Amino acid sequence: MFRSFALATIAGLSLVGPTAFAQSLDNAQGAVEVSDGPGEYPAKGAKPRASQSNGQPQVGRKAAEKYMAPRETQVAGETAARHAAGTSGDHYLAIHVGFFLSDNAYKWGAPEKQENVGKWNFGLTYRVGEWVNSMDLAVRFDLLSYGLDEGRANKMSFMPVVTFPDANSKFPLYFGAGAGLGVFLNQVPSEGSLSLDYQLFGGLRFFEVIENTGFFVEGGIKNHLHLLSDGQHNGTFAAVGTVFTF
């Protein structure tokens, strides 16, 4: 009889046990309070919270605009900051005075060849364009004086020049070249009043030594060919001056 009772008890537990165990698990899960905080799983049956107040998560371009301002806004901000700091390089102006170190004149007046006829020169260079991170385009005005055996000659020269590296790089060494038209304000007899002028030069410049003002030294060649007569002039020069960035 005891054996029959034990068998009946074991059979009953085998039928009732799994169901009761499953119910116990459900009750335990319902009793646990799950937090919605960061890093936690949502409670059972709860809807996930929306990432934004309007219920739509912001992704793609709208989300990226929070971190990346338009290029125009960045450039405008940088320009304003440079002006506020007094270090803007948007404008470049250089003024120089110099003299010829050695020069020769051929078929310009009499005698046919003369030496050391170049005297002084005064000039201005202004930047009108820039190839970013490369070089500058500028215009140069020069006033030059010559002393020949037949008299004195003065010339105004106008030429576009290319210099590299660009002034905004603030690199102290620079090189340049240019060609343009020369007009003689006064000329020796029997000589033309127009010339083709060309220059090759290099220099050392220091920016913003005193606020927006710096200085530079420059050297190279200044040559010209007469357009309305035979004559030419070849000379080497040196110059010093001030440079302004504003």
Side-chain angles (χ1 to χ4, degrees):
M1 182 177 178
F2 177 79
R3 183 177 182 181
S4 299
F5 178 76
L7 291 174
T9 303
I10 292 172
L13 289 175
S14 64
L15 294 175
V16 177
T19 303
F21 182 71
Q23 291 178 352
S24 299
L25 285 178
D26 290 341
N27 293 336
Q29 289 179 354
V32 175
E33 181 178 355
V34 181
S35 173
D36 289 341
E40 302 289 344
Y41 290 98
K44 182 178 180 181
K47 295 182 179 180
R49 292 189 305 171
S51 60
Q52 301 294 332
S53 60
N54 59 5
Q56 296 294 330
Q58 290 193 0
V59 295
R61 184 174 181 179
K62 290 184 178 180
E65 286 177 353
K66 292 182 178 181
Y67 306 99
M68 295 185 295
R71 176 61 180 165
E72 294 80 4
T73 303
Q74 292 180 2
V75 173
E78 292 172 1
T79 303
R82 286 194 302 171
H83 279 286
T87 59
S88 174
D90 293 339
H91 303 278
Y92 175 94
L93 174 67
I95 300 175
H96 71 265
V97 60
F99 56 93
F100 286 95
L101 300 174
S102 64
D103 61 285
N104 297 288
Y106 300 94
K107 295 185 178 180
W108 185 10
E112 188 171 288
K113 179 181 178 180
Q114 302 181 54
E115 295 183 354
N116 299 322
V117 300
K119 300 305 179 184
W120 52 264
N121 62 85
F122 174 82
L124 179 148
T125 304
Y126 183 74
R127 184 178 67 181
V128 296
E130 176 188 2
W131 290 272
V132 179
N133 298 328
S134 178
M135 60 187 69
D136 292 328
L137 173 64
V139 291
R140 173 169 288 193
F141 301 91
D142 269 339
L143 179 62
L144 304 103
S145 179
Y146 307 91
L148 295 99
D149 290 350
E150 291 185 83
R152 199 163 193 87
N154 294 316
K155 181 183 67 175
M156 175 68 74
S157 177
F158 167 80
M159 66 178 64
V161 296
V162 175
T163 60
F164 65 93
D166 59 299
N168 282 339
S169 70
K170 306 301 184 188
F171 192 72
L173 287 174
Y174 69 96
F175 303 92
L181 182 67
V183 179
F184 284 91
L185 305 179
N186 61 290
Q187 175 66 292
V188 297
S190 303
E191 296 292 344
S193 58
L194 297 178
S195 65
L196 173 64
D197 294 11
Y198 57 97
Q199 299 182 13
L200 296 173
F201 53 87
L204 185 64
R205 57 192 176 186
F206 302 93
F207 294 92
E208 300 168 357
V209 177
I210 304 175
E211 295 185 351
N212 293 337
T213 303
F215 66 91
F216 70 98
V217 293
E218 184 178 290
I221 63 172
K222 291 180 184 283
N223 299 346
H224 75 243
L225 300 171
H226 293 178
L227 296 178
L228 303 178
S229 58
D230 288 337
Q232 68 179 57
H233 176 262
N234 302 322
T236 59
F237 78 97
V240 297
T242 55
V243 56
F244 305 92
T245 53
F246 53 96

